[in-house]
């Protein structure tokens, strides 16, 4: 055991660097007025039965923005919450050393792209398991009679209750087909949700979702058909000329009203550069300047091994000073990221 611990201690700076890479790669992935995972968590209770805008381990958000936390999610997995910004440095180092040893499968004190790829796939699977557990709990909340099916009307009642409506009154109005008297914004959300409900309802359609179909409704990354639906929605929102494809200019265009001040402009300029790099290096597989639905689907599929390998190579390349395609202590000892204490 003693001989195993000694190399790990030497890798402490390396582990800190790895987390730094993960954090720095995500620093400018989102426009200035878009929230991170921590800010999003504040709205979780209100929206617990809604399909989340943010999907752990998926590269794009539902609105087409880059997932700011993606690299943290696929490197730290379910341990993300253990690495708070104000965590005690020595404690974080110990945790990161354990992670590093797990990534280094052949214990040669260097990490290959294949090792990082396997780790990314493992962490993504953890997020999948978490999503299944959360979906199961939410399904029970909207299936009060426990018959294993949720109708669209049952779900609609629960959704409107989260918007402040009285459950009994809403149920009565729906039963009698009376006007629900809801505002325009809520009505638009309901229509979008119903479209998604239809997509999750496997043939023959009956507007009744089973537990597995409800999982696809909340988490489209768990279903090929729903992932394709998500891709179509993103392309529809970003496609400016209606050709059902994305050019670079369409993909990097900022939403109207995104930039609020000069500081925001500086952040958003960086965000555009990140999207340009993502488009050219990862999404546009054949490098023809156009992203098709198939290319975007491959890019967004969290269980795509080729995509995971590309991500692994990207994470390693940042500190690969001798360009041998490995992370080695001799290289990473030179890197102490800003914001992380030196060991």
């Amino acid at each position: 055991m003693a001989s195993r611990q000694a190399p790990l201690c030497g890798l402490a700076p390396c582990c800190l660097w790895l987390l730094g890479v993960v954090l720095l790669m995500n620093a400018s992935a989102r426009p200035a007025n878009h929230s991170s995972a921590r800010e999003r968590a504040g709205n979780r209770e209100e929206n617990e039965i809604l399909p989340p805008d943010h999907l752990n381990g998926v590269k794009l958000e539902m609105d087409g923005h880059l997932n700011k936390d993606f690299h943290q999610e696929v490197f730290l997995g379910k341990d993300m919450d253990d690495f708070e910004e104000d965590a005690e440095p020595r404690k974080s180092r110990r945790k990161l050393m354990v992670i590093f040893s797990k990534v280094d499968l052949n214990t040669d004190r260097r990490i290959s792209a294949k090792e990082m790829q396997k780790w990314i796939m493992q962490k993504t699977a953890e997020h999948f398991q978490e999503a299944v557990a959360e979906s199961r709990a939410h399904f029970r909340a909207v299936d009060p009679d426990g018959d294993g099916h949720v109708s669209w009307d049952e779900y609609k009642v629960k959704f409107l209750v989260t918007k402040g409506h009285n459950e009994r009154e809403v149920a009565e109005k729906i039963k009698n087909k009376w006007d629900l008297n809801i505002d325009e914004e809520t009505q638009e959300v309901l229509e979008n949700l119903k479209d998604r409900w239809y997509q999750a309802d496997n043939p023959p359609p009956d507007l009744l979702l089973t537990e597995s179909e409800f999982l696809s409704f909340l988490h489209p990354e768990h279903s090929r058909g729903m992932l394709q639906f998500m891709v179509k929605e993103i392309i529809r929102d970003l496609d400016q000329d209606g050709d059902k494809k994305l050019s670079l200019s369409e993909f990097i265009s900022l939403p109207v009203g995104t930039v609020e001040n000069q500081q925001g402009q500086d952040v958003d300029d960086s965000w555009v550069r990140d999207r340009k790099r993502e488009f050219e290096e990862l999404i546009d597989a054949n490098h023809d300047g156009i992203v098709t639905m198939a290319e975007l689907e491959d890019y967004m599929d969290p269980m795509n091994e080729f995509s995971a390998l590309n991500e692994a190579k990207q994470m390693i390349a940042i500190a690969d000073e001798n360009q041998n395609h490995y992370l080695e202590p001799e290289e990473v000892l030179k890197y102490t990221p800003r914001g992380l204490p030196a060991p």
Side-chain angles (χ1 to χ4, degrees):
M1 290 293 292
S3 62
R4 185 80 181 101
Q5 289 175 350
L8 286 179
C9 293
L11 289 175
C14 183
C15 296
L16 277 176
W17 174 87
L18 275 173
L19 180 61
V21 168
V22 167
L23 296 174
L24 291 172
M25 289 177 74
N26 290 310
S28 57
R30 174 181 302 278
N33 65 346
H34 280 73
S35 61
S36 66
R38 182 174 301 196
E39 293 166 318
R40 287 190 297 265
N43 300 322
R44 186 172 298 165
E45 182 176 351
E46 178 184 358
N47 296 329
E48 64 177 7
I49 67 169
L50 282 173
D53 291 329
H54 175 78
L55 302 170
N56 287 340
V58 179
K59 297 178 185 177
L60 291 184
E61 309 283 16
M62 293 296 294
D63 59 7
H65 292 292
L66 295 180
N67 175 3
K68 178 182 177 182
D69 304 308
F70 175 75
H71 290 104
Q72 295 179 56
E73 291 163 0
V74 297
F75 184 71
L76 299 177
K78 63 183 180 182
D79 296 321
M80 275 187 66
D81 292 340
D82 292 337
F83 291 89
E84 299 293 337
E85 292 178 4
D86 56 351
E88 200 276 314
R90 189 171 300 175
K91 183 178 180 182
S92 293
R93 279 199 293 272
R94 286 196 298 267
K95 291 178 180 177
L96 285 167
M97 283 190 285
V98 171
I99 291 177
F100 192 95
S101 68
K102 290 178 179 179
V103 181
D104 181 20
L105 294 174
N106 62 4
T107 67
D108 64 351
R109 298 187 65 201
R110 62 181 192 174
I111 293 177
S112 68
K114 281 290 186 181
E115 287 174 324
M116 186 71 84
Q117 176 199 31
K118 290 179 180 178
W119 181 256
I120 288 173
M121 297 296 291
Q122 181 181 332
K123 296 295 106 178
T124 300
E126 285 183 5
H127 289 304
F128 267 50
Q129 293 164 6
E130 289 179 342
V132 170
E134 290 176 2
S135 176
R136 185 177 295 120
H138 297 335
F139 183 80
R140 291 170 183 164
V142 296
D143 181 30
D145 55 13
D147 65 354
H149 295 84
V150 177
S151 71
W152 167 246
D153 285 345
E154 285 177 322
Y155 177 81
K156 184 160 62 172
V157 169
K158 294 295 184 181
F159 167 73
L160 290 174
V161 167
T162 67
K163 296 297 183 180
H165 293 264
N166 180 276
E167 183 169 357
R168 183 175 297 179
E169 290 179 3
V170 170
E172 184 71 16
K173 288 179 179 179
I174 291 176
K175 179 180 178 181
N176 294 297
K177 296 182 170 36
W178 295 341
D179 186 6
L180 293 174
N181 295 320
I182 56 180
D183 60 77
E184 184 176 341
E185 181 180 350
T186 302
Q187 182 61 45
E188 183 178 352
V189 172
L190 270 176
E191 290 173 359
N192 290 334
L193 288 173
K194 192 170 184 178
D195 287 342
R196 188 166 176 154
W197 192 275
Y198 272 111
Q199 292 293 326
D201 186 14
N202 291 327
D206 54 8
L207 284 184
L208 296 173
L209 297 192
T210 63
E211 187 172 316
S212 62
E213 290 171 335
F214 190 73
L215 171 63
S216 297
F217 171 72
L218 291 182
H219 290 274
E221 74 274 20
H222 286 253
S223 160
R224 175 60 58 182
M226 286 300 292
L227 184 63
Q228 291 170 346
F229 175 72
M230 181 178 174
V231 166
K232 289 178 182 177
E233 292 287 289
I234 290 174
I235 287 184
R236 183 198 65 185
D237 292 342
L238 300 179
D239 180 18
Q240 298 173 8
D241 59 12
D243 64 354
K244 298 183 181 179
K245 301 175 184 178
L246 294 179
S247 64
L248 175 60
S249 62
E250 288 172 330
F251 188 73
I252 67 174
S253 293
L254 288 169
V256 175
T258 296
V259 178
E260 297 172 352
N261 50 46
Q262 184 57 49
Q263 183 177 4
Q265 178 68 62
D266 295 340
V267 173
D268 292 330
D269 287 347
S270 178
W271 178 80
V272 168
R273 288 195 298 271
D274 287 343
R275 287 180 73 87
K276 183 177 186 292
R277 183 176 63 246
E278 199 81 3
F279 183 99
E280 294 176 339
E281 297 181 6
L282 296 175
I283 309 178
D284 183 14
N286 63 2
H287 305 292
D288 65 351
I290 297 294
V291 166
T292 64
M293 286 191 182
E295 286 176 319
L296 189 59
E297 183 182 338
D298 286 342
Y299 166 79
M300 290 186 60
D301 182 359
M303 299 308 292
N304 184 320
E305 293 187 4
F306 179 74
S307 182
L309 181 59
N310 282 338
E311 290 295 336
K313 290 177 179 178
Q314 185 185 54
M315 293 173 74
I316 289 174
I318 292 177
D320 185 18
E321 194 170 86
N322 63 11
Q323 298 185 10
N324 69 347
H325 309 297
Y326 290 90
L327 280 180
E328 299 174 348
E330 300 78 45
E331 295 170 327
V332 300
L333 282 173
K334 298 179 181 179
Y335 293 84
T336 302
R338 184 178 54 197
L340 289 175

